[in-house]
Amino acid sequence: MEILLRPWRETDIPALARLADDEGVAADLRDVFPHPYTEQDARAFLSLCMAADPADALFCAAEVDGQLAGSVSLARGTDVCRKSAELGYWFGRAFWGRGIATEAVRQMCQAGFAAWDIVRIWAEPFARNRASCRVLEKNGFACEGVKRLGVVKNGVLQDSKLYALVKTQ
């Protein structure tokens, strides 16, 4: 199985809309990720990705054996957080439980550390999302704490976890 991170392309719009239009995917993401997810949403997302300055953000399509599987991104911090970057990722349901997210996150962290002078990559999954927490742990991220009742999703207050990977010299 070949897992490749690559730039987004306009030709990804139909596949992106199909993958992302899943209540199970949206349930574990921030509210900015809509459900239902339409081709118009896919176009807006790709416009954002393609317009991003690579000095500030890396947006990649994750491909498995030539098929779009999901999204992985890094957004660089600013001001006093300029040596850190936030990691974000999601994958279509057909790609869950196969080690794909783990490998894609590994590749993105490697790319971020190589491209930027950052020393820390962090992520904040919902605490109930055990699979996402496991992806981070398998990549060497340490849980730095639980933000009790720190997020609200679908009207329900819940915990999130703060994970970080610190660059080793």
Side-chain angles (χ1 to χ4, degrees):
M1 172 171 51
E2 182 185 0
I3 301 166
L4 172 71
L5 297 187
R6 62 161 175 80
W8 285 98
R9 305 185 286 244
E10 287 194 33
T11 55
D12 291 324
I13 289 171
L16 172 57
R18 276 192 307 277
L19 274 179
D21 189 29
D22 182 327
E23 191 173 9
V25 171
D28 288 322
L29 299 173
R30 293 177 180 170
D31 288 343
V32 70
F33 190 95
H35 181 75
Y37 197 103
T38 65
E39 284 198 8
Q40 183 177 344
D41 295 316
R43 273 189 200 83
F45 176 70
L46 261 63
S47 291
L48 172 86
C49 294
M50 293 175 177
D53 182 343
D56 297 325
L58 301 174
F59 290 101
C60 291
E63 201 174 86
V64 176
D65 297 330
Q67 183 180 4
L68 183 65
S71 175
V72 185
S73 65
L74 276 178
R76 224 178 142 158
T78 59
D79 196 28
V80 297
C81 297
R82 66 187 168 272
K83 294 289 187 174
S84 296
E86 181 180 10
L87 171 71
Y89 53 92
W90 66 267
F91 290 84
R93 187 182 298 263
F95 301 95
W96 293 358
R98 297 171 45 195
I100 294 164
T102 300
E103 174 58 19
V105 164
R106 185 196 68 75
Q107 289 181 30
M108 180 56 92
C109 291
Q110 185 176 46
F113 283 133
W116 300 331
D117 64 341
I118 58 172
V119 296
R120 183 174 189 275
I121 296 174
W122 63 276
E124 190 178 337
F126 299 155
R128 66 173 168 70
N129 187 345
R130 310 281 299 145
S132 189
C133 294
R134 205 55 203 119
V135 164
L136 296 167
E137 291 162 0
K138 286 192 238 177
N139 274 290
F141 281 71
C143 182
E144 296 183 334
V146 175
K147 295 169 85 175
R148 295 182 318 133
L149 302 178
V151 295
V152 61
K153 181 66 180 185
N154 296 328
V156 178
L157 278 167
Q158 56 188 292
D159 299 345
S160 64
K161 289 186 172 184
L162 180 61
Y163 281 88
L165 176 66
V166 176
K167 184 177 183 178
T168 56
Q169 302 299 342

